[in-house]
Amino acid sequence: MLTIIVWVAGAGLLLINIILRTRILRLEARLRELSNPQEQLIYLRKQAQLNQNNKVAAIKALRKQYPEISLIEANKLWQQV
């Protein structure tokens, strides 16, 4: 009997985990849709001017302003500056 309870509880937790992961992935995709890459590029150019073209400082400021951007995406934006 105890084994059945443990299995049911484990299955329930697994389902909850799958549902939450799916929700997080959808929210991340929606957040990326709402983020405008042109605004991010403009912000990065402004930061580059303020920081005398210091790449590290400009990318740090960009990622602070737009936390959903990965370091790789920020570096690709920097290459466009």
Side-chain angles (χ1 to χ4, degrees):
M1 185 68 179
L2 183 61
T3 305
I4 294 172
I5 293 171
V6 170
W7 275 92
V8 169
L13 290 174
L14 181 63
L15 286 173
I16 290 170
N17 188 358
I18 291 169
I19 291 168
L20 291 176
R21 281 181 186 236
T22 304
R23 181 180 280 174
I24 288 171
L25 290 174
R26 276 194 239 136
L27 287 172
E28 286 176 346
R30 179 74 176 136
L31 184 61
R32 286 202 170 112
E33 287 175 9
L34 294 175
S35 297
N36 187 355
Q38 293 302 326
E39 288 179 10
Q40 297 166 354
L41 189 58
I42 291 168
Y43 186 80
L44 184 59
R45 284 184 180 144
K46 191 183 306 179
Q47 289 302 313
Q49 290 173 353
L50 291 175
N51 295 314
Q52 292 89 24
N53 285 331
N54 184 351
K55 178 181 178 180
V56 175
I59 288 178
K60 279 185 180 181
L62 177 71
R63 292 191 68 208
K64 187 174 182 179
Q65 179 72 23
Y66 298 98
E68 69 273 8
I69 295 178
S70 70
L71 187 56
I72 293 170
E73 292 169 337
N75 193 28
K76 286 179 184 176
L77 283 174
W78 176 261
Q79 291 172 356
Q80 294 176 15
V81 171

